[in-house]
Amino acid sequence: MNSDRTISMKKMGSIYNTLALINRLLLMTSAWNVLVSFIEADFWHFTEPSALGLKLVPAFGLFFAFLLPGFFFFSGRIWNFRLQLSWQLTFAMIEPILLLISALPALDELPSFRTCALGFGTLLLPFVVRFCRPTYDIQVGCEFFLVIFVSMCVRWSSHAVNVFYEEWRVGTFIICVSGIISIIQVIMNNVMDVNKMISEQQSRDEVLTTTEMITETPPNEMSTPVTNSVRSDIEDIDITDYHKESEGSVNLYPMLPPSEGSDDTESCSIKNTRDDKPSTSKWSHSLAILFMTPGIASFLMLFIQFFSSPAQLARWAGLRANPFGIFVVFCCTISFLFILMSRCQFGAFFKSMSDVKHECGGGLGANESNGGDYVNPWNVYWSIFPSFFCIVFLVTGWVLLLNSEKTGAVTGLCMICLSVPYVFVHVIDVYVQSSSRAHVGVRAISHITGSFIFFVLLTALTSFNLPTLTNIFFGRMSLILAAMLVCICLAVVVASMVTVRNNATSARRASLSRYHHQSRFPFVDLSSSAGGEVATFVAVIVCTLVITSAVSYRSSAVLSCREPTEARIAGNYDSNANNSTILRAMSWNILLGHTYTGRDNSACIAQVLRHFGPSVVGLQESDPLPVFWGGKDVLGALENELSVEGFRSHEGVPAMKSTLGVALMSRLNLISHEARLLPGRGFVKLPHYGYTRTVFELPTSKFPLYVINVHAVYKNWTIGNFTELSTIQLKKIADVTNNVTHQRAPVIVLGDFNLNPEERQLDALWTTAGLKCVYHKTRSMLNESTILNRFGNVDHIFYRNLDLIEGRIVAEAGRVSDHYPILADFVMPT
């Protein structure tokens, strides 16, 4: 009867641990994306058209949301606070609920409310992680990386668009699934508590019966000799000591033993270790977590900026999102599977060691003849070699990615993706173990320091594109990455030192803990539990890859247009759309992939382009790759949805050159394409601007079509007047226009010039380049504005050697951006 109950408890424990792990991954994924979405939502208040520039309220909100939680952890009571299981799960549901609230269509016109909701979730995030995580977790590093991996793959399916923030159905799905699993967890936990009490009582009865037999039976009448060690083991058994918990609290993971740093592990079986001086050990662990903190902050920023989606890293490497985004997913998957396989092998090795050397002083690398003081050097080398090997890979990969093209960039990309997961998991695991043994005050300082460094790195990445605050990092991604890599290398070195110092001791403790817990509580099998976690990890990876691969290759968009654009343009029949005898050009500043109120606008842009069917369209502010603009691949999303209509994207200036983005989409056959920065040296307080020069084949003409797409400086920035720079840039465009092989070839120059038609900076195009303007033949203002936040005609289409049919401003597009699209129809050259 007892054996049947033990078997059933084993099965129930395995099911419970699997469900708890899946629930944990769901909730942690929500928490991670709350942080990512908060950064995007908060920075929108700095770039929104109605308030361009620095705003103190969102800046302070960002700062305090990161740093404030660390001050609460100075209290040991708060740090050690635990909730009952039902309250743990309820409290953890705050993150997906806030994520759902921020994605609701009802808040599309309320960006400040969305920012406050996500800011509150970011503020609570450390408390959710701390109060709702177990005291012992052998796979914490793997869990964190799997959360990042799943988020990356989900955004792969949406072409880097943050669907957690944009699509309310994602938050609803997480809440429903997590809610069902949480209810099952609570029910199973109550059932296991009852069975546990029954098992404990039966074990006590067996101990009492065995003790009475030993006491009453003379030694010469015993059928089986009882040695002193067996008698001692029987007398020491106390099932109630298996899992001590504070009064009124329930552990979220009742099937796992307590952590090494908890008081439960301080038993006689592990007293003979090298930690002879607890205070010295505590301070050494405290120093270790302080030195690892900058590396962890750098890791998190690295993941947010470059690994939010596979397209991110590929685009930063100067490669197209397809197919090189697949390399990112493939390499990360291989690296993570290697980690899981190594954990299984090491876990089996530790298990065998605990079965063989379970006496005090035995353990990994220990020699029983000298009481465990000897450490096998091969075990030390194996514990540190992979980390240093991955560091070399990581640094070499970034050097190749920053300084190479094509093959070198692809090689660097693969090296980064293969090395980052391993070193991240290693550092996180060591940090968690050391944190459990460090001083409470030092843990709080570590949290504050890490949050501050994270904020500084975010400021540096912001300054890479927008040098308003400082120009130290402007256009210098290599400098930012060098700072991150130094912090990461320091964290890996410290983690390796901690691993070497505690190699024998930590392995011995884990080994003995598993042995004694297994011998005392038969239905708890930590090795099978760990194996179940690894199997769950693999299953989650496979399911994620299958689902996201299927979604990412479908032609329809994941998101839908939230602006009433379709209703406005549906009744506007356009006979010239998709007419082969018409050459239609369009220009549109798409506001870094956001609507006027900060939502994603890629679906709305695709809707407009599909309706009007331009032959070529120039896009400005088309590369919101930095994390504070959402880290989106707008071009990839548009090409995915419009590929059926024959649209192909032609990327602009590489992301590493720090530009707002200027790109082209067309349905014409490409001959050549190049993208360059406009002059801006000496004007250090402005972002970089650029242009593209593309040559297309015309089906009915012997001459090619030259299309120059421009995004020029806004000369009336709030930080100063830049008339001189505007003049320099327009002269450059005139020179590019005149530098064509065939002087009789048709030329179109379009874009956001940030100049009204009467301003003299445009003289270079009117006179030097000999261009005509579609809308302003007399250089006078129109009655319609091309921008929404003020009246102005700053978007233009110039042409040469073409016959104009008509041109107009597409005001019916609505607030898809802060600019209206403009288009012009020409007779197709023959």
Side-chain angles (χ1 to χ4, degrees), residues 196-206 208 239:
K196 180 179 177 180
M197 294 173 61
I198 296 173
S199 180
E200 287 176 353
Q201 185 60 46
Q202 290 179 348
S203 299
R204 290 193 187 94
D205 294 341
E206 292 176 0
L208 291 175
I239 302 300

Side-chain angles (χ1 to χ4, degrees), residues 595-788:
T595 65
Y596 198 79
T597 56
R599 289 295 196 189
D600 180 79
N601 64 2
S602 58
C604 298
I605 295 171
Q607 198 174 82
V608 173
L609 296 183
R610 184 183 293 109
H611 177 81
F612 290 100
S615 305
V616 59
V617 53
L619 302 174
Q620 303 86 42
E621 297 188 13
S622 57
D623 271 343
L625 291 177
V627 57
F628 48 87
W629 287 330
K632 298 186 283 190
D633 181 21
V634 176
L635 291 178
L638 292 176
E639 185 174 22
N640 176 70
E641 188 170 357
L642 298 172
S643 59
V644 177
E645 282 78 14
F647 281 93
R648 295 293 181 268
S649 64
H650 311 289
E651 298 177 359
V653 181
M656 286 294 180
K657 292 188 176 181
S658 175
T659 178
L660 300 177
V662 55
L664 212 66
M665 296 193 71
S666 75
R667 298 189 296 171
L668 302 174
N669 293 329
L670 179 69
I671 297 177
S672 65
H673 174 75
E674 63 178 2
R676 298 182 184 277
L677 291 177
L678 284 169
R681 183 174 298 177
F683 298 87
V684 295
K685 290 295 184 181
L686 287 176
H688 284 153
Y689 293 86
Y691 71 94
T692 63
R693 180 182 180 275
T694 313
V695 184
F696 294 105
E697 177 184 341
L698 291 175
T700 59
S701 175
K702 63 179 180 179
F703 296 111
L705 172 66
Y706 291 84
V707 178
I708 300 170
N709 182 26
V710 181
H711 187 207
V713 65
Y714 176 47
K715 70 173 187 177
N716 296 318
W717 271 78
T718 55
I719 56 175
N721 187 286
F722 297 94
T723 302
E724 179 185 358
L725 178 61
S726 179
T727 303
I728 295 173
Q729 291 186 352
L730 267 296
K731 286 182 178 179
K732 174 65 176 179
I733 296 301
D735 293 339
V736 174
T737 304
N738 289 328
N739 186 22
V740 296
T741 305
H742 307 281
Q743 294 300 319
R744 296 175 56 191
V747 178
I748 297 176
V749 180
L750 47 73
D752 177 11
F753 295 84
N754 278 308
L755 292 167
N756 287 313
E758 75 278 3
E759 297 188 72
R760 63 181 180 82
Q761 286 76 34
L762 288 173
D763 290 349
L765 299 184
W766 292 89
T767 59
T768 306
L771 299 174
K772 299 177 182 179
C773 187
V774 171
Y775 313 102
H776 314 284
K777 297 178 182 179
T778 61
R779 299 191 66 169
S780 59
M781 296 282 288
L782 298 177
N783 294 327
E784 293 181 90
S785 176
T786 63
I787 49 180
L788 279 70

Side-chain angles (χ1 to χ4, degrees), residues 212-224:
E212 290 175 359
M213 291 176 59
I214 295 173
T215 305
E216 295 175 1
T217 305
N220 56 354
E221 296 181 6
M222 295 180 66
S223 57
T224 304

Side-chain angles (χ1 to χ4, degrees), residues 302-542:
L302 196 71
F303 286 130
I304 293 177
Q305 178 59 82
F306 298 104
F307 287 84
S308 61
S309 74
Q312 272 283 76
L313 190 58
R315 289 291 306 279
W316 281 104
L319 305 169
R320 293 185 66 87
N322 286 321
F324 294 104
I326 301 176
F327 279 76
V328 178
V329 177
F330 176 77
C331 293
C332 288
T333 303
I334 294 299
S335 179
F336 192 57
L337 290 177
F338 170 77
I339 296 171
L340 296 180
M341 291 174 60
S342 64
R343 292 296 174 93
C344 287
Q345 302 236 341
F346 296 155
F349 179 69
F350 290 155
K351 174 67 168 57
S352 63
M353 292 296 295
S354 65
D355 290 338
V356 175
K357 297 182 178 182
H358 57 269
E359 298 296 334
C360 292
L364 179 64
N367 189 336
E368 291 183 358
S369 63
N370 58 14
D373 292 332
Y374 170 73
V375 177
N376 189 336
W378 287 108
N379 292 328
V380 175
Y381 298 152
W382 174 248
S383 66
I384 63 176
F385 174 75
S387 298
F388 282 102
F389 182 77
C390 288
I391 281 294
V392 173
F393 247 53
L394 180 61
V395 175
T396 306
W398 279 113
V399 171
L400 289 174
L401 188 142
L402 292 172
N403 301 286
S404 303
E405 297 180 0
K406 303 297 182 181
T407 305
V410 174
T411 304
L413 182 143
C414 294
M415 294 176 71
I416 292 169
C417 295
L418 288 172
S419 57
V420 164
Y422 186 90
V423 290
F424 173 72
V425 170
H426 174 60
V427 170
I428 288 293
D429 284 343
V430 175
Y431 179 86
V432 170
Q433 294 171 9
S434 297
S435 180
S436 64
R437 305 175 188 178
H439 288 278
V440 174
V442 176
R443 286 196 293 250
I445 294 174
S446 172
H447 186 283
I448 296 172
T449 303
S451 301
F452 180 76
I453 294 174
F454 185 85
F455 182 82
V456 170
L457 291 174
L458 181 59
T459 304
L461 286 170
T462 306
S463 301
F464 171 75
N465 285 90
L466 303 173
T468 306
L469 294 177
T470 176
N471 60 353
I472 297 176
F473 303 103
F474 181 49
R476 300 173 180 171
M477 183 59 72
S478 58
L479 182 60
I480 301 173
L481 285 172
M484 288 186 183
L485 291 176
V486 168
C487 294
I488 290 173
C489 290
L490 177 63
V492 173
V493 169
V494 172
S496 300
M497 291 173 62
V498 173
T499 302
V500 170
R501 180 181 182 278
N502 297 323
N503 192 15
T505 302
S506 298
R508 183 161 61 249
R509 287 191 172 191
S511 160
L512 292 171
S513 176
R514 290 175 183 145
Y515 176 82
H516 285 285
H517 283 306
Q518 282 188 320
S519 62
R520 293 184 178 190
F521 218 167
F523 69 80
V524 176
D525 185 357
L526 187 58
S527 61
S528 64
S529 174
E533 285 193 349
V534 171
T536 305
F537 286 149
V538 174
V540 170
I541 292 173
V542 172

